[in-house]
Amino acid sequence: GGGTMRRCAVSALIALLVVAAGCDAHVPSIKQVRRLEVPRHWVGGFDVHGNASGTAESPTDILDGTLALDGRFALVLQHEILPRLAPVYTTFTVSMALYLSKDPTELEGYPGGADQFRGIFWKGRGNQDRTPSAWLTPRTNRVTFRASTTGAREVWGTTKRSIPVRRWTHIAFTLGPDRLMKLYVDGQLDSAVETVGIPVANDGPMYVGKDMTQPGIVGFVHGVSMHAHALREEDVYQQSRWSLRSVPDFDDEPETEASLLAGEVALGIENAARETFMELMDNNNTEMETTKTETTEGNEGKGENKGKNPDAKVESEEPTELKAGSHAPADPNEAAGKYAGDQFELAERIMAASLALPDDDGEAQRVARAGLAAARAAYRRSAVAGNSTARFILSTMYDAGYGSIDGRREPKRAVYHRLVAAAAGETGAQLAAGTELFTTSKGGGSGQSNSNKVGHHGARNPTATCPVALYYLFHAATRAYEDLAKPGGQSRVERLKLFEGVANQRGDHKGENDDRIAYLRQAAELGETRAMIAMGNAHYWGNFGVPRDLERALRYYERAHNHGVLSGTVGVAKMSLKGEGMSKNATKAMEYYHAAANRNSPDALNGLGYLHFYGDEVEKNLTTALSYFKRAAELGSGDGLVNAGLMVRGGMGCARNVSEAYGYFVRCAAPPMAHQSCQYNAAMIEAAGEPELGIPRDCEMAVARMRQVAEVGRWMSPMADGLKAHLAGEHAAARWLYDHAATMGVAQAKYNAAFLHEARARNVRVGYEAVYGKIHGALDGDVDALDDESDGWAAVLKKERERERRMDAAAASVREHLEIGGDDLSLSPVDGADPMKTSGALSATMLRHYSARIGLDPVSDPIDLAWAATHRGDCAYFGPLRPGGCEVTDHAVALREYVEAGRTARAAFDAGNAVDAGPLLARAVYSEAWMRARGEGCGGADRAKARRLLREGLAKGGWVSHLALTPPYVGMVLSDNLPGMVTGFLDFFSSSGVLSGENRMGGSLLRRALDEFGGGTMRVVNTIEGVPDVVYPGWRIYYPAMYAFFVYTVGMLSGWHYLVRPATRFLFGLELAPLPFMFWGHGQRMLLADGRWVPDRGYMGRLRERVRRNLIRNMEQARLRDEARVSAERTREGDEREREELVERSVPDSVVPPVGDVANGEAPGAEEREELPPEEDVGEDRSYSPFEPID
């Protein structure tokens, strides 16, 4: 009776709670669970363990950010970083937002399918632990929530309703002192369970997603929080409202994708399956016909069997029928893969053809927009069919506006596709998701608009965001770490930052036709050993646009070895050991490593340690291997440091010592070595921490290291391809490639993409109306027959015709891929928008986006930060006046950004980087001075500070900045001081009586006029600037052009006289005319030498002559060495023959003395070889290959 009354009271209490919450239409289920397991013995009671976490400093937000899951992985949170739960009489609240992207009927092909429990979260060390945990029940999306007690291994409850698909839902699991387990859905109580026994906790980790036995959910988890007490119902409701406001918005992309999967993609997969089946049938029929013919011919050849056994033919066909078991329909997954691959190839072809269209033609851009839209649709079909690479590319297209008809970014959809690709294991997407979380949680910059915060997954707590970022970056870094150890798996990442004139520094990247490659190849053929190494590096890493060719790299290293170059010897040894460019040859590797080790090569010592570790060609000996690794580490070998650290950490060949191993890893992980394997292993220790050894857990450091490791891999190829496209003049392709690399969060890629978008936006904004489209369509007549040298304009026109032909060919290629023709491809403008202006506005938007992301990235250098802050200031200053600019004009924000840009540029300038920081500082102080002189963004005009800023820019900005800063500085000084000087002059004459009567009245009027003219403002400058807007607004484009022309003409003439002419005279011996356009006055200087006049070739000519003489001398020396070697060989052969003849004639065989030293049994001249101690697993070969490339 008492138990019944208690149960009734509890039921009444829950009913009251439900009514109070306003959810009387949804009555929760309440049940009491009794289990037959024997209760476990617990020491102590509530007095001992109660409220154990009451005074503990425990975080409540344990995960902040969006975790993408596909059932295969889990994010594991160590017990030490979670809120401390009481061991017995446990109370808690666990809450999170869930997004299930698949219905149970759509889980075919995912781990476990729909027939197993799918983990949401679970805390414990073994199957007996359940406090707290939750799963989705088989074949439904209902949540089962569980806990362990002293009376039962688990007590569970199940929600009455299923979690909806493709919608964010908040769940909260609470257990209070009343021993009632409650599950809330979207802040409303769904079900409750009374526990049997006393709830107990455990000290195991928490798994979010997959647990040790069950697969995880397919979807997203956002904002996991945990409390050591049960939240009240009203608190749960408020928490759910807050959580659902911070989740990412996918802009209905999942619903659209589901419709596409059920319609067009399903039909495409069905057609692919039918095609595959028909191909199998055709192949099988061909095999049957072949078998039938062979059988008939065989029977006809056997006269004794002919016509005697009519069943023989049927029997001979039976094996063929059994062999044709492939008649079964094709595997649906195989058909989906085929369809996804076909769509991906189609998208790649359309994308390449669209990006090949010229940037400076409106009709070409219209065609390109249509092609990019078609490519995006094909990528989308491929992604829906299961291609994760296509999905990641699709995320970049949405994020950067590619394929958008109205030229707008769609970052919400981009976030969805990026997260799904990351869950599917796409390394680039994992790197992108992790880096985005890490950079936004650090908040390293300012000027971030709300629109740019889309895709940051609502991150707000750096401590709680770090584990999610570490989850993504760990998977990406592990892939990179594993690839590094494979033969040929090393990748060189192109990290050059673009600048004007980059081709002069890096060549043209034309591969075998690159000027530098041609020079190095010729020098290597002439015996230059450094050129041999450089050519080996070029073919090993793929430098200068040369494709990787390990066989050719090996040949160059062998030639360098034959010339006695130590790095060549080590290169051959490494490639022989790894089987790169040849079959693996441990014997050859051992021989070359010994030769290099005798010359104290650290890489050779590391290689010998590797051979002894694995027992290749020598007896396995871990102690000897460790000694070699330590010797290599002492000489600064990164491979030696990491291998020694791995052995010490694993206790191989010595006692286990994690602290010593961590010291090795940290040493080679730090710059300038920055060894990827060291960074990875150091991060693994830092992520978990070893507090008892004095190594604290450092999530942020682990994330930073994992990011560096993950940024080295095949997925970073867009960096090199982007540079190659930029140098080749393929601007659209270069922007796309750098945009794709920037999506992964690479700092250099973000800067380069912003650099290209800035150039594109500026060209369209400033020069489109005056330049673009003027020459196109105005070329009449056939100019193909004109000679390029007959007339300069003819050459220009012919080049223009050739450009138009290329454009037409590219447009035809797009039409061909789309299988449509005519004007259907040229989409009509949206709201009358010009495709060129739309493209420029999109580039301006991307410039704003990248300037914000650069400011947030903690690894951005001061130069990048100053550059980005300046652009954020421009965006805030001009606002909507510029296409793609900020939505509103905010002078206060603009001034703050300019001040920040100047501060960062000064720091870089003071650090010694004056070349890059000087122009940025001049630009920042000019902008700040302009605003302070006009009183914009500050309390009032401060012209004195403006002048100081301009003087600083003149002092530190360089000669180019002088051209821009001198006119405003001089104008400001004159406008500030000239009126006062004239006024003082008039006062002097007035007081002296020179001005009197009418003259004095005129002086007063003049004084007032001058006061009005000066007045502490820049009215004159403002008036002059405002004239074009007042008289004729169309002059707005041409006025700054004329001003720039005037300023730079003066600068050009000064530079011509004081810089160009002296430099040309010194370098090339040319005497240039006083003015650039006096081309008839240029000539070669002549010098009087040995009584005759000879041309002065200048310093470069003398240098070329010296190089030529050195090459001739080297060739002659090589020829003499070859002749001497041949002569010596002939002499030695003749001496040997004479000695043999003499012995045969005069000495019997029994008396012939032995050749060599009889005492020690060695041949004469035999060199003594260093005896290395015998040899002994570090994992895979971590000895990275041949050195860094030589520029």
Side-chain angles (χ1 to χ4, degrees):
T4 303
M5 292 180 63
R6 285 194 299 271
R7 286 194 295 274
C8 291
V10 171
S11 300
L13 174 62
I14 297 301
L16 289 173
L17 290 173
V18 171
V19 173
C23 55
D24 50 343
H26 177 69
V27 180
S29 61
I30 305 173
K31 65 178 181 179
Q32 185 178 31
V33 180
R34 296 186 181 278
R35 301 298 300 271
L36 300 179
E37 286 94 337
V38 178
R40 288 175 291 178
H41 177 69
W42 292 91
V43 179
F46 182 80
D47 295 336
V48 177
H49 300 290
N51 285 333
S53 63
T55 59
E57 212 175 286
S58 302
T60 55
D61 292 336
I62 57 177
L63 288 183
D64 196 354
T66 303
L67 182 66
L69 302 166
D70 72 340
R72 298 178 298 162
F73 302 104
L75 190 155
V76 183
L77 297 167
Q78 298 300 321
H79 173 73
E80 292 74 19
I81 67 173
L82 300 173
R84 293 176 55 193
L85 304 183
V88 295
Y89 296 99
T90 306
T91 61
F92 59 80
T93 299
V94 179
S95 63
M96 65 192 68
L98 286 182
Y99 189 100
L100 303 180
S101 56
K102 298 291 182 182
D103 191 81
T105 59
E106 302 171 347
L107 291 177
E108 182 180 357
Y110 286 88
D115 297 329
Q116 295 188 27
F117 287 91
R118 286 155 286 151
I120 301 174
F121 64 90
W122 170 68
K123 187 177 186 300
R125 292 190 178 276
N127 197 38
Q128 72 279 3
D129 296 326
R130 290 289 186 272
T131 305
S133 57
W135 292 266
L136 294 180
T137 58
R139 294 178 295 280
T140 72
N141 283 342
R142 297 171 63 193
V143 179
T144 175
F145 50 99
R146 310 192 176 192
S148 301
T149 69
T150 56
R153 185 183 69 176
E154 60 180 0
V155 178
W156 72 77
T158 304
T159 57
K160 297 181 64 176
R161 55 177 174 167
S162 295
I163 303 298
V165 180
R166 289 180 279 276
R167 182 174 74 81
W168 282 105
T169 304
H170 184 267
I171 64 170
F173 177 20
T174 69
L175 175 59
D178 54 3
R179 300 189 340 197
L180 282 177
M181 298 192 309
K182 303 175 185 178
L183 200 288
Y184 297 84
V185 178
D186 286 340
Q188 305 293 333
L189 182 63
D190 181 275
S191 55
V193 175
E194 181 184 0
T195 63
V196 175
I198 301 172
V200 294
N202 60 76
D203 61 352
M206 174 177 278
Y207 295 77
V208 182
K210 180 185 184 302
D211 57 44
M212 292 194 299
T213 59
Q214 303 293 336
I217 64 170
V218 178
F220 312 117
V221 174
H222 181 88
V224 181
S225 66
M226 185 175 185
H227 298 75
H229 60 277
L231 293 179
R232 295 177 301 175
E233 188 160 348
E234 56 269 27
D235 295 332
V236 172
Y237 179 80
Q238 292 295 331
Q239 187 186 53
S240 71
R241 298 303 94 189
W242 174 261
S243 177
L244 293 177
R245 280 198 301 267
S246 65
V247 297
D249 179 12
F250 298 142
D251 197 17
D252 297 329
E253 182 68 5
E255 291 81 356
T256 306
E257 182 176 300
S259 301
L260 188 63
L261 178 61
E264 183 181 357
V265 173
L267 182 61
I269 294 175
E270 182 179 346
N271 292 336
R274 186 181 298 109
E275 293 174 1
T276 303
F277 176 69
M278 295 303 297
E279 289 177 2
L280 292 173
M281 288 290 293
D282 293 341
N283 294 337
N284 183 66
N285 290 336
T286 303
E287 293 176 3
M288 291 178 61
E289 292 295 333
T290 302
T291 305
K292 184 186 299 183
T293 303
E294 293 175 353
T295 304
T296 304
E297 292 176 354
N299 289 337
E300 290 177 353
K302 298 178 182 179
E304 65 277 10
N305 293 332
K306 186 176 181 180
K308 292 184 180 181
N309 188 4
D311 295 332
K313 182 178 180 180
V314 177
E315 292 175 359
S316 67
E317 290 178 355
E318 285 180 359
T320 305
E321 291 291 340
L322 295 175
K323 179 180 178 181
S326 57
H327 283 186
D331 182 9
N333 291 331
E334 181 180 349
K338 181 180 184 302
Y339 174 77
D342 293 342
Q343 291 297 313
F344 184 82
E345 292 179 2
L346 174 63
E348 290 281 281
R349 293 196 299 270
I350 299 175
M351 188 82 168
S354 301
L355 294 176
L357 293 168
D359 268 353
D360 57 351
D361 187 280
E363 288 304 314
Q365 284 300 296
R366 200 183 305 279
V367 174
R369 284 171 53 200
L372 291 174
R376 189 169 77 173
Y379 280 127
R380 194 179 194 183
R381 292 190 293 269
S382 179
V384 172
N387 190 321
S388 60
T389 302
R391 191 178 290 278
F392 182 43
I393 293 175
L394 186 62
S395 73
T396 302
M397 297 190 75
Y398 277 120
D399 196 35
Y402 289 91
S404 173
I405 301 303
D406 57 358
R408 295 181 181 274
R409 297 177 59 235
E410 299 178 78
K412 297 178 181 179
R413 299 184 179 221
V415 169
Y416 170 75
H417 288 291
R418 189 181 308 132
L419 291 174
V420 175
E426 185 67 22
T427 309
Q430 292 168 339
L431 173 59
T435 303
E436 182 79 359
L437 276 169
F438 178 60
T439 55
T440 55
S441 68
K442 297 293 289 183
S446 59
Q448 177 90 349
S449 65
N450 292 333
S451 62
N452 287 331
K453 292 182 181 180
V454 175
H456 294 171
H457 323 308
R460 57 191 180 276
N461 185 341
T463 303
T465 303
C466 190
V468 185
L470 183 60
Y471 169 82
Y472 289 121
L473 293 173
F474 164 76
H475 286 284
T478 300
R479 175 71 178 276
Y481 179 70
E482 292 172 351
D483 287 350
L484 284 171
K486 297 177 182 177
Q490 297 87 355
S491 299
R492 179 180 178 272
V493 180
E494 180 59 70
R495 298 187 182 275
L496 178 72
K497 289 169 61 175
L498 298 182
F499 55 91
E500 299 294 343
V502 65
N504 297 331
Q505 176 177 326
R506 294 305 304 266
D508 50 14
H509 277 229
K510 292 182 180 179
E512 295 291 343
N513 297 324
D514 188 277
D515 294 338
R516 302 188 181 195
I517 286 293
Y519 172 80
L520 290 173
R521 186 191 306 113
Q522 184 67 22
E525 295 298 329
L526 295 175
E528 175 57 49
T529 56
R530 290 180 299 175
M532 297 175 190
I533 296 297
M535 285 297 296
N537 290 332
H539 287 293
Y540 189 92
W541 295 107
N543 296 340
F544 306 111
V546 176
R548 296 191 70 181
D549 189 336
L550 299 181
E551 293 183 0
R552 294 181 68 179
L554 179 61
R555 288 199 295 270
Y556 277 110
Y557 291 143
E558 286 178 335
R559 290 179 58 188
H561 161 73
N562 294 334
H563 283 75
V565 180
L566 180 60
S567 55
T569 304
V570 175
V572 175
K574 288 185 175 184
M575 298 187 73
S576 301
L577 181 59
K578 293 183 177 183
E580 295 176 332
M582 61 179 297
S583 300
K584 182 177 179 180
N585 190 337
T587 303
K588 183 177 181 179
M590 172 72 79
E591 177 185 350
Y592 279 68
Y593 274 139
H594 274 298
N598 290 334
R599 300 168 63 181
N600 288 325
S601 168
D603 288 331
L605 293 169
N606 177 75
L608 291 173
Y610 177 87
L611 291 170
H612 283 78
F613 183 89
Y614 283 108
D616 288 343
E617 295 299 314
V618 292
E619 182 181 355
K620 183 175 181 178
N621 190 322
L622 295 180
T623 304
T624 303
L626 180 59
S627 67
Y628 275 121
F629 288 144
K630 287 188 174 182
R631 287 176 59 189
E634 291 172 359
L635 294 175
S637 168
D639 299 333
L641 284 163
V642 70
N643 288 335
L646 289 171
M647 293 192 71
V648 172
R649 187 180 67 179
M652 295 177 286
C654 64
R656 186 174 184 270
N657 190 329
V658 178
S659 298
E660 183 182 355
Y662 181 66
Y664 282 122
F665 296 146
V666 170
R667 178 182 166 189
C668 56
M673 198 174 298
H675 197 287
Q676 282 80 26
S677 292
C678 294
Q679 291 172 331
Y680 181 84
N681 286 283
M684 292 295 290
I685 296 176
E686 291 161 350
E690 297 284 350
E692 65 279 3
L693 300 177
I695 305 174
R697 182 178 181 274
D698 192 340
C699 180
E700 291 188 2
M701 179 59 73
V703 166
R705 295 193 196 278
M706 289 290 186
R707 179 186 179 185
Q708 294 182 58
V709 178
E711 288 182 353
V712 179
R714 296 188 305 274
W715 46 92
M716 301 305 298
S717 60
M719 296 285 288
D721 295 339
L723 176 61
K724 198 171 180 180
H726 177 65
L727 295 176
E730 301 169 0
H731 304 302
R735 286 197 302 272
W736 158 251
L737 290 165
Y738 277 122
D739 280 333
H740 192 47
T743 302
M744 292 182 270
V746 184
Q748 292 84 356
K750 287 185 286 191
Y751 177 85
N752 290 346
F755 177 87
L756 295 176
H757 281 292
E758 179 195 21
R760 174 64 173 167
R762 181 177 61 247
N763 292 340
V764 173
R765 182 181 70 248
V766 177
Y768 174 65
E769 294 182 0
V771 179
Y772 291 152
K774 297 299 183 182
I775 193 171
H776 310 309
L779 306 177
D780 299 326
D782 185 12
V783 298
D784 293 337
L786 293 175
D787 186 4
D788 288 349
E789 298 180 359
S790 61
D791 188 358
W793 277 108
V796 173
L797 296 179
K798 186 173 182 180
K799 183 178 180 180
E800 184 61 28
R801 282 298 191 197
E802 180 62 27
R803 188 200 64 80
E804 288 188 350
R805 277 196 291 268
R806 289 198 305 269
M807 186 270 289
D808 293 339
S813 177
V814 176
R815 291 191 175 92
E816 178 184 356
H817 290 312
L818 294 177
E819 299 180 351
I820 62 176
D823 296 333
D824 296 338
L825 187 63
S826 300
L827 302 180
S828 55
V830 179
D831 299 329
D834 188 318
M836 289 295 299
K837 291 185 177 180
T838 301
S839 173
L842 178 59
S843 285
T845 302
M846 292 305 299
L847 173 60
R848 174 164 58 103
H849 170 66
Y850 286 128
S851 64
R853 291 185 62 188
I854 291 171
L856 291 170
D857 198 336
V859 303
S860 296
D861 59 40
I863 298 298
D864 293 352
L865 292 175
W867 184 87
T870 303
H871 280 285
R872 291 197 301 270
D874 292 343
C875 181
Y877 185 85
F878 292 101
L881 297 178
R882 287 185 177 180
C886 294
E887 297 177 358
V888 296
T889 299
D890 192 332
H891 288 170
V893 172
L895 181 60
R896 186 168 62 248
E897 293 291 356
Y898 290 141
V899 171
E900 175 65 18
R903 183 191 63 80
T904 309
R906 286 187 194 93
F909 189 92
D910 295 339
N913 191 1
V915 175
D916 296 326
L920 284 173
L921 177 59
R923 181 176 176 183
V925 298
Y926 173 81
S927 301
E928 183 184 351
W930 171 266
M931 296 190 69
R932 292 195 182 279
R934 296 164 62 97
E936 297 174 333
C938 50
D942 188 351
R943 297 174 61 80
K945 187 169 184 178
R947 289 196 302 271
R948 289 197 300 271
L949 290 169
L950 291 176
R951 282 198 300 270
E952 181 184 12
L954 288 170
K956 299 180 178 180
W959 71 272
V960 176
S961 301
H962 287 180
L963 299 178
L965 298 184
T966 300
Y969 178 72
V970 173
M972 183 177 293
V973 171
L974 292 177
S975 63
D976 285 346
N977 298 304
L978 185 59
M981 293 172 59
V982 175
T983 301
F985 180 76
L986 293 175
D987 290 339
F988 170 76
F989 281 99
S990 177
S991 62
S992 62
V994 176
L995 294 177
S996 61
E998 294 181 1
N999 291 335
R1000 182 173 299 176
M1001 184 179 297
S1004 300
L1005 292 174
L1006 181 59
R1007 185 184 301 110
R1008 287 197 298 271
L1010 290 173
D1011 289 340
E1012 183 66 23
F1013 174 77
T1017 64
M1018 294 181 67
R1019 291 187 180 90
V1020 175
V1021 177
N1022 295 341
T1023 302
I1024 295 175
E1025 282 194 339
V1027 167
D1029 291 336
V1030 176
V1031 178
Y1032 181 57
W1035 292 1
R1036 186 179 302 161
I1037 294 178
Y1038 304 103
Y1039 180 78
M1042 290 186 293
Y1043 173 76
F1045 176 78
F1046 170 75
V1047 172
Y1048 287 107
T1049 299
V1050 175
M1052 183 189 68
L1053 294 177
S1054 301
W1056 177 268
H1057 184 74
Y1058 294 107
L1059 181 63
V1060 176
R1061 295 184 70 201
T1064 306
R1065 188 182 304 117
F1066 169 73
L1067 291 175
F1068 305 106
L1070 295 176
E1071 189 64 46
L1072 301 181
L1075 294 176
F1077 56 81
M1078 298 172 60
F1079 53 87
W1080 58 85
H1082 307 328
Q1084 182 74 47
R1085 295 184 69 212
M1086 303 297 290
L1087 298 177
L1088 185 62
D1090 298 331
R1092 62 189 183 92
W1093 292 95
V1094 296
D1096 179 12
R1097 300 300 181 184
Y1099 176 78
M1100 296 302 295
R1102 293 190 295 272
L1103 184 61
R1104 283 194 298 268
E1105 181 65 20
R1106 188 184 307 168
V1107 171
R1108 187 183 68 82
R1109 290 178 179 177
N1110 288 339
L1111 291 177
I1112 294 174
R1113 184 190 61 192
N1114 292 340
M1115 293 174 63
E1116 183 65 19
Q1117 291 177 351
R1119 185 184 64 80
L1120 294 176
R1121 284 197 300 269
D1122 292 340
E1123 292 179 354
R1125 179 175 53 79
V1126 172
S1127 176
E1129 290 177 355
R1130 290 176 179 174
T1131 302
R1132 186 172 60 255
E1133 291 174 359
D1135 294 342
E1136 290 178 355
R1137 283 196 301 268
E1138 291 178 2
R1139 186 170 62 252
E1140 290 174 358
E1141 293 174 358
L1142 178 63
V1143 169
E1144 290 176 357
R1145 288 196 304 267
S1146 60
V1147 183
D1149 293 343
S1150 59
V1151 190
V1152 175
V1155 178
D1157 191 344
V1158 180
N1160 55 26
E1162 292 183 355
E1167 295 181 3
E1168 207 174 290
R1169 198 165 189 173
E1170 178 184 356
E1171 289 296 329
L1172 298 172
E1175 315 206 6
E1176 253 200 19
D1177 216 358
V1178 215
E1180 299 160 325
D1181 179 12
R1182 301 298 175 191
S1183 59
Y1184 288 156
S1185 153
F1187 16 89
E1188 287 297 322
I1190 298 175
D1191 257 342

